[in-house]
Amino acid sequence: MLDWPFFEARHRTLATDIDAWCNEHLPAVSSLLHERDGADEGCRQLVRMLGEAGWLRYGIGGRTYGGDGDEIDTRAVCLLRETLAKHAGLADFALAMQGLGSGAITLAGTQAQKQRYLPAVANGTAIAAFALTEPESGSDVAALTLTAHDDGDAYVLDGEKTWISNGGIADFYIVFARTGEAPGARGISAFIVDADTPGLTIAERLEVIAPHPLARLEFAGARLSKRCMLGAPGEGFKLAMRTLDIFRTSVAAAALGFARRALAEALHRASTRHLFGQTLSDLPLTQAKLAQMALTIDSAALLVYRAAWMRDQGKRVTREAAMAKWHATEGAQQVIDAAVQIWGAQGVQSGTTVETLYREIRALRIYEGATEVQQLIVGRDLLAQYAAREGAVR
């Protein structure tokens, strides 16, 4: 894959280096990677390790603020996430949330905001979080109800957020709240909220099938200086979408990493499991299943790195990123399910690699835009382009 024209020499070097780093360093924290009770400490430790090794700087835009370059290199982020996911899901999560949690600051922060937060995110001494979802506002972001009331020299936040990754361990949150400049999406603004802000509490820790830090946040009269606003009033929805556009393709890359690991596990099992006087790999049904897994992975990889390359060329990638996330996450689910089937009873034994992958992949089909949302994005974009072409002809 690295020979594809999507990549430059630096990307090939990066992919080799991160894989070597994972092989050397991740076994040392393996006991924390899969245990439910170890997710918080595991994530903290991984953020420190990734920061010290320099990997987190790829999710930061601006060399002045600790980033690898002046702009975020989407292909680099995707290669990092694919490789980390192949080795350990929690390691991928730790890197991804540093980028997503600080992305809005990269895009719209003032010089002072960038200087305060981004270097600490890049070196792993501060943990970031992206707080957008609410109990009744997930896919329909414009329906959020958390309010930010203008109170002279401050904004006062009231309401709640839920399903917030890094909730409970983050040092700061990027919070989207309704400031009311206009109805719907046009009345939402973004804020940087430090974790120790009075009025912000961790109301509930949430447990999911693939353990990672997750929480419901409550805001009760949380008072913020107006310097905490990110960008202009009423521009929060656009900022959230711009942030997601950067990192949505990398979700697909993580799914690709999970799928590659599943195929490797399936190949090993098929080649070493003996039955009926032959190996499992000698059966035509097994060969057909492995072939389908490889086809799904390669097609997903092409979509992922097409979208990443296009974004790095400055092109609009809303449709391409949606296609990549849709196909890669759904495809990875199919590949991992096939790997579990090849492993048989051991495939559903708690703690085995394919069982862990089975739990890891499921959330990727939901977060940062569920598959159904990606389908809507692609369909609407196709119809809009068709209407524009027809209008131009007439």
Side-chain angles (χ1 to χ4, degrees):
M1 183 192 75
L2 291 172
D3 290 331
W4 291 351
F6 295 126
F7 303 107
E8 301 168 26
R10 58 193 171 88
H11 296 117
R12 299 180 182 98
T13 300
L14 175 67
T16 301
D17 289 348
I18 183 61
D19 191 59
W21 183 88
C22 288
N23 284 319
E24 180 179 354
H25 294 278
L26 291 186
V29 292
S30 59
S31 63
L32 298 172
L33 296 180
H34 307 298
E35 298 175 7
R36 188 170 299 277
D37 293 339
D40 283 8
E41 181 52 36
C43 195
R44 289 190 184 97
Q45 189 165 336
L46 284 164
V47 168
R48 289 194 296 269
M49 291 169 61
L50 291 164
E52 289 170 359
W55 304 124
L56 296 180
R57 59 196 175 93
Y58 288 91
I60 303 296
R63 289 187 176 89
T64 303
Y65 308 107
D68 177 68
D70 292 331
E71 303 289 340
I72 293 175
D73 184 330
T74 314
R75 287 166 292 174
V77 173
C78 286
L79 286 168
L80 289 170
R81 289 202 64 180
E82 179 186 338
T83 305
L84 288 168
K86 185 175 67 174
H87 286 270
L90 193 61
D92 162 63
F93 170 86
L95 179 132
M97 285 312 305
Q98 288 295 92
L100 182 64
S102 63
I105 302 177
T106 290
L107 290 171
T110 64
Q111 185 175 349
Q113 289 170 335
K114 291 179 179 181
Q115 192 60 60
R116 178 177 175 184
Y117 293 98
L118 294 183
V121 171
N123 64 31
T125 57
I127 295 177
F130 185 78
L132 181 62
T133 302
E134 297 182 4
E136 301 300 326
S137 170
S139 297
D140 184 8
V141 176
L144 67 81
T145 60
L146 186 145
T147 59
H149 171 68
D150 191 335
D151 189 32
D153 62 345
Y155 280 98
V156 180
L157 274 59
D158 288 286
E160 63 179 295
K161 296 289 182 182
T162 194
W163 303 114
I164 306 306
S165 293
N166 277 348
I169 69 167
D171 295 290
F172 68 90
Y173 299 85
I174 305 301
V175 178
F176 297 86
R178 185 162 299 285
T179 44
E181 289 77 13
R186 293 176 296 170
I188 296 170
S189 301
F191 300 88
I192 306 173
V193 183
D194 290 329
D196 59 359
T197 299
L200 165 60
T201 57
I202 306 302
E204 181 183 8
R205 293 301 303 271
L206 304 171
E207 293 188 358
V208 288
I209 56 177
H212 67 266
L214 198 67
R216 178 169 63 87
L217 316 179
E218 284 188 354
F219 297 83
R223 191 176 184 86
L224 305 176
S225 163
K226 288 194 170 178
R227 292 191 299 273
C228 294
M229 180 177 280
L230 265 174
E235 295 294 315
F237 179 84
K238 291 181 181 178
L239 181 56
M241 296 303 103
R242 289 173 63 203
T243 305
L244 291 171
D245 271 350
I246 294 175
F247 294 99
R248 181 168 287 141
T249 303
S250 77
V251 179
L256 185 59
F258 289 142
R260 289 196 193 280
R261 180 61 181 272
L263 177 57
E265 294 293 320
L267 287 166
H268 171 72
R269 178 65 170 174
S271 299
T272 56
R273 173 76 164 102
H274 292 273
L275 72 170
F276 308 126
Q278 58 189 335
T279 63
L280 187 58
S281 62
D282 290 324
L283 299 176
L285 280 173
T286 303
Q287 294 169 14
K289 193 180 291 289
L290 292 168
Q292 181 61 56
M293 295 164 77
L295 174 64
T296 301
I297 288 171
D298 272 15
S299 59
L302 285 164
L303 287 171
V304 168
Y305 289 105
R306 176 187 70 165
W309 175 82
M310 286 179 64
R311 189 187 177 279
D312 287 342
Q313 308 311 305
K315 300 179 185 295
R316 177 180 178 270
V317 294
T318 300
R319 186 206 300 182
E320 290 78 10
M323 283 182 169
K325 184 181 186 296
W326 167 12
H327 182 67
T329 57
E330 292 292 331
Q333 182 82 67
Q334 296 165 15
V335 168
I336 293 167
D337 186 76
V340 170
Q341 197 73 8
I342 287 172
W343 272 80
Q346 289 187 42
V348 293
Q349 183 178 356
S350 180
T352 61
T353 298
V354 290
E355 183 271 341
T356 300
L357 290 168
Y358 198 85
R359 289 184 288 106
E360 291 278 11
I361 189 54
R362 191 59 185 85
L364 271 67
R365 294 167 58 200
I366 298 172
Y367 76 68
E368 290 192 40
T371 294
E372 292 76 10
V373 172
Q374 308 312 318
Q375 291 170 336
L376 287 174
I377 290 171
V378 173
R380 288 173 179 173
D381 191 67
L382 286 169
L383 289 168
Q385 289 196 11
Y386 173 78
R389 286 196 304 269
E390 287 296 298
V393 170
R394 291 174 186 161

